[in-house]
Amino acid sequence: MILQSLYNYYQRKPDLPREGFEWKEIPFVIELNRNGSVVQIEDTRTTDGKKKRAKSYLVPQAVKKASNIASNLLWGNVEYVVGLPDEKKLADRKNKGKEGDYRERLKEMHEAFIEAIKSLPPSCQIDAGVRAVCAFCGDADLAGLQRFGDSWKEVQASNSNITFRLQGDTDLVCQRPTVIDAVSKLTAKETRDGVCLITGNPDEVERLHPAIKGVWGAQTSGANVVSFNLPAFNSWGKEQGANAPIGKHSAFAYTTALNHLLGKDSKQRLQVGDASTVFWADKPSPLEDQFADIFAEPPKDDPDRNARALKALYESPRQGIAPVKDHQTRFFALGLGPNAARIAIRFWHVGTVAELAKTIQQHFDDLEIVRPSFEKPHLSVFRLLLATAAQSKSENIPPNLGGDVMRSIMECLPYPNTLLQGTLRRVRAERDVKYSQAAVLKACLNRQVRSEQTSGKEITVSLDHSNINPGYRLGRLFAVLEKVQEEANPGINATIRERFYGAASSTPVTVFSNLMKLKNHHIAKLENPGRKVNLERLISEIMDGVSDFPSHLNLADQGRFAIGYYHQRQALFSKSTDAKQGD
């Protein structure tokens, strides 16, 4: 189903590379005259933030090398194209006493590059661009390259991909019409030795599928969704790709589509924790463009991007337009994670555009909670995950959590318990409840109540005076006791929160009796009689019906304690509540 959906996406995208070609970043282009002499070395890189980004060109598809020597056609790294060593590799081989073996391998690599060009049909061999490259390789015009000093040193030091352009042309040599025609005819040859699992049609079975690149944490050289690289994975005497027969054309289509979705400039890619998430639809849909903006952290130069995307989604029912009205178009979301040389499928979701629009709205409704004016109204998935991370660092986000959260969002399932547990651990460790943590706890607990279909009360957006849950009440009480202490001791460095939050939220009976006695001492220090009365009245209202402090609060009630504390703190510091309470 996944491969078939990617295959269909490739078919509806005419701008994707045709079979036998791919987009590749080429940092340096060597310009040759018709005699094969070097005219210049063009640096295609541009500054992208703090890094340099190479320009992408449409080139013949890379050969699956594994550990063998196999050259790409008319492009490759310095080792293949020029036969010169990678300086880092050379130093390493010298230290190991294997310099001779490495230089012999370099010779074979360069010969493979030349043989790939010679394998082109006669119509290509008389092409001016191809002849210039052959002349360059035959004469090994190293002196011509070294004339460019620092530029050539940088090329050689980085062992970058390089290719060729004929002087006066705008296209590369590998983009000349005769080369494109030859590559297209070569890929069109079929042996039809099997039946493709994707199309059901006879086709040549792909032995090694093209590499998938762009999955965060996976090998930089690429990894595979379908791979049989050890005898233990084979069955019935079949080898490698024959164990899951995918046709050559279908393998190219699905890998090209997936690499396009995972590309650096893709608008249909979202990084959620360690899950690289891509999404697409059966046909063009506004949700394809909005999905990443809705869930991603907005860029610094456009902080309201996700708010605009979410507003458009919420307004679509009122306007009667897509995506909410689209019950026909299917929408796909695929979460990928690193797993050595393979790619792990973290989640796979299929539903209509209208169904997904509804679950997205439900997700943000569940997260909605009263907030300080300086906080953003809509939390990205990344900020939700950071609620569980020590020191709010992305590297401390628990593995697999991003994929689990996205699956819960799209399928409208309860959020994973690890999200609730991790958030509560951070709250207890930091002895404070942040806006993002309160929103996560509210969403987790409300979905839990909804899924279990219990009589439990869902948590409201703001302070709920009617909520009699022990955890919620005690959280409110703790917030009021802290406020009393702060007003009795202006400028105090550490409040009861720093000392007692963990015990108060898990084993209330051990601390609340002493805190209530301490409260009497603090209230006695207040100079405003009206304020004393209002605070005592608020405490009495919260304690109404509470005869004893519980010895233990379970995990869900610890979450309600945190939200009760957060709600009450927000209410105490809001102008309307302060006025109501006599400040």
Side-chain angles (χ1 to χ4, degrees):
M1 180 64 179
I2 297 174
L3 303 188
Q4 187 178 47
S5 301
L6 288 167
Y7 173 85
N8 293 336
Y9 178 74
Y10 175 83
Q11 301 304 319
R12 82 163 177 88
K13 296 288 287 185
D15 55 327
L16 292 183
R18 295 300 93 188
E19 193 166 356
F21 294 87
E22 67 172 312
W23 287 100
K24 193 75 177 179
E25 290 187 358
I26 308 289
F28 299 96
V29 176
I30 299 175
E31 187 172 318
L32 305 174
N33 62 22
R34 290 178 177 268
N35 296 326
S37 299
V38 180
V39 177
Q40 67 167 332
I41 298 175
E42 179 188 349
D43 188 343
T44 73
R45 298 172 299 173
T46 56
T47 303
D48 184 8
K50 295 182 179 180
K51 298 181 179 180
K52 287 187 175 182
R53 177 89 178 273
K55 184 178 178 180
S56 292
Y57 293 92
L58 192 64
V59 298
Q61 191 176 11
V63 177
K64 191 83 172 183
K65 293 185 176 66
S67 60
N68 298 319
I69 293 175
S71 175
N72 302 320
L73 180 61
L74 291 167
W75 67 275
N77 60 26
V78 174
E79 293 173 306
Y80 274 96
V81 176
V82 190
L84 291 177
D86 178 328
E87 293 181 354
K88 292 182 180 179
K89 288 184 181 178
L90 181 61
D92 180 63
R93 298 303 190 278
K94 283 183 177 179
N95 291 335
K96 295 180 179 178
K98 296 182 178 180
E99 181 182 355
D101 293 342
Y102 179 51
R103 291 194 179 277
E104 185 64 31
R105 181 177 174 84
L106 282 173
K107 183 179 177 181
E108 294 176 6
M109 293 167 79
H110 185 55
E111 289 174 352
F113 180 77
I114 296 173
E115 286 301 316
I117 299 173
K118 289 182 177 179
S119 67
L120 290 169
S123 59
C124 288
Q125 301 298 335
I126 61 174
D127 181 89
V130 175
R131 290 176 64 185
V133 175
C134 290
F136 168 84
C137 293
D139 293 340
D141 187 14
L142 299 182
L145 291 170
Q146 291 166 354
R147 282 191 296 110
F148 296 95
D150 293 341
S151 295
W152 174 242
K153 286 180 181 178
E154 188 173 2
V155 175
Q156 190 174 357
S158 60
N159 194 28
S160 303
N161 282 326
I162 52 179
T163 189
F164 300 93
R165 179 189 289 117
L166 188 63
Q167 186 179 22
D169 282 0
T170 55
D171 293 331
L172 303 176
V173 172
C174 60
Q175 295 173 333
R176 292 174 69 86
T178 54
V179 177
I180 291 175
D181 183 62
V183 173
S184 298
K185 288 180 179 178
L186 182 65
T187 56
K189 293 181 180 180
E190 297 181 354
T191 58
R192 299 190 178 185
D193 56 356
V195 176
C196 175
L197 289 176
I198 292 177
T199 64
N201 299 325
D203 199 353
E204 178 183 354
V205 174
E206 185 66 291
R207 185 176 67 88
L208 296 174
H209 292 212
I212 305 299
K213 299 182 180 181
V215 175
W216 184 85
Q219 293 180 350
T220 55
S221 59
N224 292 96
V225 174
V226 179
S227 173
F228 299 84
N229 60 337
L230 292 173
F233 305 145
N234 299 334
S235 62
W236 296 97
K238 297 179 179 179
E239 295 182 356
Q240 296 180 317
N243 289 274
I246 305 295
K248 192 179 186 71
H249 304 298
S250 299
F252 174 83
Y254 93 77
T255 53
T256 301
L258 188 51
N259 279 323
H260 168 73
L261 292 168
L262 286 165
K264 292 180 181 178
D265 299 322
S266 174
K267 295 182 179 179
Q268 293 170 242
R269 181 233 170 93
L270 176 67
Q271 191 64 43
V272 183
D274 64 345
S276 301
T277 303
V278 294
F279 41 89
W280 67 97
D282 275 337
K283 59 183 181 181
S285 166
L287 197 56
E288 275 187 329
D289 300 323
Q290 296 170 357
F291 193 88
D293 291 341
I294 288 172
F295 289 110
E297 187 75 6
K300 292 181 180 179
D301 58 349
D302 188 8
D304 297 326
R305 181 183 292 181
N306 65 342
R308 290 197 304 271
L310 198 57
K311 181 181 179 182
L313 182 68
Y314 271 90
E315 287 183 348
S316 57
R318 188 178 64 207
Q319 298 173 356
I321 58 175
V324 172
K325 296 288 288 182
D326 192 347
H327 293 277
Q328 303 300 322
T329 303
R330 291 189 303 168
F331 195 92
F332 309 96
L334 175 64
L336 304 171
N339 183 18
R342 290 183 179 80
I343 295 172
I345 306 298
R346 289 289 167 78
F347 62 88
W348 166 242
H349 176 77
V350 182
T352 67
V353 169
E355 289 170 349
L356 186 59
K358 185 177 179 181
T359 60
I360 291 173
Q361 290 179 7
Q362 184 63 61
H363 165 70
F364 284 99
D365 287 345
D366 287 337
L367 285 174
E368 188 178 359
I369 196 168
V370 63
R371 60 184 174 83
S373 58
F374 58 84
E375 291 284 7
K376 296 178 181 178
H378 309 299
L379 293 166
S380 66
V381 177
F382 178 67
R383 289 195 68 193
L384 301 186
L385 300 179
L386 282 184
T388 68
Q391 300 176 332
S392 294
K393 292 184 177 180
S394 57
E395 57 264 32
N396 295 329
I397 295 173
N400 302 337
L401 183 59
D404 293 341
V405 169
M406 283 302 298
R407 178 172 175 267
S408 298
I409 293 171
M410 291 182 292
E411 299 183 11
C412 213
L413 297 171
Y415 296 105
N417 284 332
T418 48
L419 183 63
L420 174 65
Q421 294 165 359
T423 305
L424 283 175
R425 276 197 301 269
R426 293 317 313 155
V427 168
R428 291 191 63 178
E430 296 166 2
R431 297 181 291 279
D432 194 11
V433 186
K434 300 175 183 175
Y435 159 56
S436 59
Q437 293 168 334
V440 168
L441 294 173
K442 171 183 175 283
C444 287
L445 294 172
N446 280 357
R447 288 211 179 189
Q448 195 176 80
V449 169
R450 219 173 291 144
S451 68
E452 294 173 356
Q453 297 181 342
T454 62
S455 57
K457 181 179 177 63
E458 288 194 19
I459 298 165
T460 56
V461 173
S462 57
L463 183 62
D464 184 4
H465 294 273
S466 64
N467 192 330
I468 59 173
N469 176 272
Y472 187 82
R473 275 191 176 188
L474 292 177
R476 289 184 59 197
L477 177 61
F478 194 76
V480 175
L481 296 179
E482 183 184 23
K483 179 65 173 173
V484 171
Q485 183 188 29
E486 289 173 340
E487 293 191 12
N489 303 280
I492 187 172
N493 291 328
T495 66
I496 58 172
R497 187 186 72 232
E498 278 76 18
R499 292 187 60 192
F500 300 112
Y501 182 90
S505 63
S506 56
T507 54
V509 72
T510 61
V511 296
F512 266 102
S513 297
N514 290 333
L515 292 179
M516 292 298 285
K517 293 176 184 177
L518 188 63
K519 173 265 301 180
N520 295 331
H521 171 69
H522 290 148
I523 283 187
K525 293 174 66 176
L526 296 178
E527 297 179 357
N528 187 336
R531 185 59 172 159
K532 290 182 181 181
V533 171
N534 284 326
L535 288 172
E536 287 282 17
R537 184 184 298 151
L538 180 57
I539 292 172
S540 298
E541 174 209 327
I542 296 171
M543 292 293 294
D544 185 33
V546 178
S547 58
D548 201 2
F549 294 112
S551 60
H552 175 75
L553 293 179
N554 60 32
L555 201 64
D557 283 343
Q558 288 179 39
R560 293 183 177 90
F561 181 99
I563 297 171
Y565 171 82
Y566 176 83
H567 273 169
Q568 189 65 63
R569 289 287 290 183
Q570 293 301 310
L572 287 169
F573 284 96
S574 66
K575 291 182 180 180
S576 60
T577 307
D578 285 345
K580 179 180 176 182
Q581 293 176 352
D583 268 4

